[in-house]
């Protein structure tokens, strides 16, 4: 396993890795934003603001705990924040979801191949499984590098599509009316925003915790978490408005953002499809790395076999379909992740002197 030195984990890499771990198939495709924010009309903007604040605060807290305890796995952070009994429950939730989210990323790759390249989704799922497996074999350094290189390209692409889309098709009152007819991922915008931040941090903790241990100081973690949270919030806003102004054509497709890109030009559609595939890859490797790191009770000599077995199993589960997994798996895990939120709040106020130094 390749190790990285502390001076390699700078503010940019913390922010980019944070963003890249969260913005996978669901985020960048627009499917998550559609179900968790756009479905609530203008209230979705308030929900995005709330999620952004939660991303910064809880992300920073996880990074700090990871550095203070010098953790090698997210399990140590969970046990520190939630205790042995509840921590074990949350550990199980996170472990299951890391695997499920990996399967969702593989399924998302298949959806891209199907809808955009008009190829069998099997090719997309197989390719995603193989390249994710090969990256994770290199360890945390390979995961962080893979994520940090792709994120800037994705954000620039999302902003371009959002600005152009709003320019040629401004939001109207009818768009707001259509949004009120959609079924969101939660009963209201507030719960949806909490749920969205919760399940995404359940994913991110697997990479944030060990990355925090490798950063050189608290300042790096603070600014990395702040820029990461803001980057996520701005990216969500861009996708939100793109979807809201095109609800009539994207409400029933697997990959809304590529459908929007297709209205600009076929070349833009192709470029974004490639960028989206790359972003799905960054989240897949983060999920696979986190899941495999949980198996630290297994000897290192079996690590490659564990990575391979986990990837194959996730490939098989991915056949359920992408949008179905976003609709049912993600909210369910989000509710469980609220326990983790509660534990992090507790340690911030009651145990902060043990890690905030």
């Amino acid at each position: 396993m390749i190790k990285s030195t502390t001076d390699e984990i700078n503010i940019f890499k913390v922010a980019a890795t944070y963003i890249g771990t969260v913005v996978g198939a669901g985020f960048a495709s627009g499917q998550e934003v559609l179900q968790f924010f756009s479905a609530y009309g203008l209230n979705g903007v308030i929900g995005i603001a709330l999620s952004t604040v939660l991303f910064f605060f809880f992300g920073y807290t996880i990074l700090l705990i990871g550095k203070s305890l010098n953790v090698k796995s997210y399990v140590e952070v969970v046990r520190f924040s939630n205790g042995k009994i509840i921590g074990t429950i949350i550990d199980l939730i996170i472990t299951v979801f890391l695997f499920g989210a990996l399967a969702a990323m593989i399924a998302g790759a298949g959806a891209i191949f199907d809808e955009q390249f008009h190829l069998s989704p099997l090719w997309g799922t197989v390719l995603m499984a193989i390249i994710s497996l090969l990256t994770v074999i290199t360890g945390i350094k390979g995961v962080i590098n893979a994520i940090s290189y792709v994120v800037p390209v994705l954000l620039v692409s999302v902003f371009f599509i959002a600005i152009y889309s709003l320019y040629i098709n401004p939001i109207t009152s009818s768009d707001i009316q259509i949004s009120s007819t959609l079924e969101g991922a939660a009963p209201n915008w507030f719960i949806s925003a909490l749920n969205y931040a919760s399940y995404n941090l359940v994913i991110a903790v697997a990479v944030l915790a060990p990355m925090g241990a490798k950063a050189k100081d608290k300042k790096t973690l603070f600014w990395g978490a702040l820029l990461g949270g803001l980057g996520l919030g701005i990216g969500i806003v861009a996708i939100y408005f793109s979807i809201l102004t095109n609800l009539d054509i994207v409400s029933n497709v697997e990959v809304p953002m590529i459908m929007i890109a297709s209205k600009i030009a076929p070349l833009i559609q192709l470029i974004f499809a490639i960028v989206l595939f790359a972003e799905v890859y960054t989240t897949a490797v983060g999920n696979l790395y986190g899941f495999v790191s949980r198996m630290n009770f297994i000897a290192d000599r079996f690590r490659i076999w564990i990575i391979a077995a986990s990837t194959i199993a996730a490939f098989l589960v991915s056949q359920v379909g992408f949008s179905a997994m976003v609709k049912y798996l993600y909210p369910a895990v989000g509710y469980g992740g609220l326990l983790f939120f509660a534990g992090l709040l507790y340690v911030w106020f009651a145990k902060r002197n043990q890690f905030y130094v």
Side-chain angles (χ1 to χ4, degrees):
M1 181 173 176
I2 299 176
K3 297 182 179 179
S4 59
T5 58
T6 55
D7 61 356
E8 291 178 306
I9 308 300
N10 53 34
I11 293 173
F12 169 76
K13 284 200 173 182
V14 171
T17 304
Y18 191 0
I19 295 171
T21 304
V22 172
V23 294
F27 177 104
S29 71
Q31 189 62 239
E32 286 179 10
V33 178
L34 171 62
Q35 296 192 31
F36 283 85
F37 299 109
S38 297
Y40 302 99
L42 294 179
N43 284 333
V45 177
I46 307 175
I48 294 171
L50 174 59
S51 289
T52 301
V53 172
L54 295 175
F55 278 132
F56 162 62
F57 175 74
F58 287 113
Y60 179 47
T61 302
I62 292 169
L63 287 164
L64 276 178
I65 297 173
K67 180 170 182 55
S68 175
L69 302 182
N70 194 29
V71 304
K72 294 182 179 179
S73 168
Y74 69 86
V75 179
E76 297 166 74
V77 173
V78 172
R79 295 285 170 83
F80 177 76
S81 62
N82 293 85
K84 185 175 181 180
I85 297 176
I86 298 179
T88 299
I89 296 173
I90 295 173
D91 177 23
L92 178 62
I93 291 172
I94 293 175
T95 302
V96 171
F97 189 45
L98 285 170
F99 176 80
L102 171 62
M105 295 306 104
I106 294 175
I112 294 172
F113 266 56
D114 180 27
E115 291 190 353
Q116 306 311 314
F117 304 140
H118 305 294
L119 298 171
S120 169
L122 180 64
W123 291 109
T125 56
V126 168
L127 177 59
M128 183 58 63
I130 291 174
I131 60 177
S132 298
L133 183 154
L134 294 176
T135 302
V136 172
I137 287 175
T138 69
I140 187 67
K141 179 180 179 180
V143 172
I144 291 174
N145 286 337
I147 292 174
S148 60
Y149 293 148
V150 175
V151 166
V153 179
L154 171 77
L155 290 179
V156 169
S157 302
V158 166
F159 295 150
F160 172 77
I161 292 174
I163 293 171
Y164 191 87
S165 180
L166 287 170
Y167 174 74
I168 63 175
N169 188 21
I171 295 175
T172 64
S173 58
S174 63
D175 294 323
I176 306 299
Q177 292 176 348
I178 292 175
S179 69
S180 65
T181 66
L182 299 178
E183 180 182 354
N188 56 63
W189 68 266
F190 180 77
I191 295 177
S192 186
L194 285 177
N195 197 296
Y196 182 78
S198 175
Y199 80 74
N200 273 301
L201 278 160
V202 163
I203 294 177
V205 66
V207 174
L208 290 181
M211 182 171 63
K214 294 179 179 297
K216 57 184 177 180
D217 54 38
K218 188 175 66 176
K219 181 180 178 181
T220 298
L221 300 181
F222 176 86
W223 287 106
L226 180 61
L227 292 177
L230 288 175
L232 287 169
I234 294 171
I236 296 170
V237 167
I239 296 174
Y240 165 87
F241 282 113
S242 298
I243 291 176
L244 196 62
T245 191
N246 290 283
L247 273 176
D248 54 332
I249 64 169
V250 303
S251 59
N252 293 309
V253 299
E254 291 271 291
V255 191
M257 284 299 288
I258 294 185
M259 177 65 73
I260 295 170
S262 70
K263 294 180 62 179
I264 300 176
L267 179 60
I268 299 299
Q269 178 184 7
L270 175 62
I271 292 173
F272 189 75
I274 295 172
V275 172
L276 176 56
F277 187 86
E279 192 49 58
V280 171
Y281 156 71
T282 67
T283 302
V285 298
N287 293 336
L288 179 57
Y289 176 82
F291 181 77
V292 173
S293 70
R294 180 61 189 90
M295 306 300 163
N296 55 7
F297 55 86
I298 299 175
D300 285 345
R301 66 178 180 276
F302 297 118
R303 179 178 174 81
I304 293 179
W305 295 106
I306 295 299
I307 295 173
S310 301
T311 305
I312 292 171
F315 168 78
L316 296 175
V317 174
S318 72
Q319 306 310 305
V320 171
F322 175 52
S323 60
M325 298 188 75
V326 171
K327 184 174 182 179
Y328 299 108
L329 174 66
Y330 285 27
V333 173
Y335 289 121
L338 292 177
L339 289 172
F340 184 41
F341 270 18
L344 290 174
L345 280 174
Y346 168 74
V347 299
W348 181 263
F349 291 106
K351 295 184 179 181
R352 187 166 47 179
N353 62 327
Q354 296 182 35
F355 66 88
Y356 193 78
V357 292

